[in-house]
Amino acid sequence: LLKNHPEYLQLFPFKDVPLKELHTNKKYRAHGNSIIYAFSSIVDSTNDNELLVSILTKIGESHVPRKVTEQGFLDLKERIIELFSSLFNEEEMDAWKKALEVVFKVTNDAIREKLKIGVE
């Protein structure tokens, strides 16, 4: 994501670290672990819609103060699809694309709602 969208680097506490050195930066690695944990929680919650929506809403809301936009999440979705396309066949990819549409819709709905509440 940061290679394709280096402007997002400014949103992170490791913003002053050159891209080629990120893989050794502790804050970057910790954030990566958080992302994997969140993704795992999302996948584990697919049989519990209420829990899934709650997790996705929290993710969206928690990124508003960090100035992460809906477009940032859409760009992340594209990077995930790109990564997954090298791991899954076409049928599996169709399923992942549908799932990711829902994931990022709920996340971005939470961002919009949080911004609306913050404005009022």
Side-chain angles (χ1 to χ4, degrees), residues 57-72:
T57 299
K58 182 179 178 195
I59 289 170
E61 291 174 347
S62 70
H63 282 77
V64 170
R66 298 178 181 110
K67 309 276 191 261
V68 177
T69 64
E70 293 179 51
Q71 187 59 50

Side-chain angles (χ1 to χ4, degrees), residues 11-81:
L11 302 174
F12 294 98
F14 42 82
K15 63 185 172 193
D16 296 324
V17 178
L19 284 177
K20 63 183 177 194
E21 295 175 20
L22 279 178
H23 69 283
T24 60
N25 181 275
K26 298 289 186 193
K27 289 180 182 178
Y28 175 78
R29 293 174 65 85
H31 188 71
N33 284 336
S34 295
I35 292 170
I36 296 302
Y37 176 75
F39 197 77
S40 178
S41 295
I42 291 165
V43 171
D44 290 345
S45 301
T46 55
N47 290 329
D48 185 339
N49 290 343
E50 189 175 327
L51 178 59
L52 178 60
V53 169
S54 179
I55 290 168
L56 296 172
T57 299
K58 182 179 178 195
I59 289 170
E61 291 174 347
S62 70
H63 282 77
V64 170
R66 298 178 181 110
K67 309 276 191 261
V68 177
T69 64
E70 293 179 51
Q71 187 59 50
F73 276 106
L74 294 175
D75 291 335
L76 175 60
K77 178 181 79 167
E78 291 306 313
R79 297 288 61 82
I80 292 170
I81 289 171

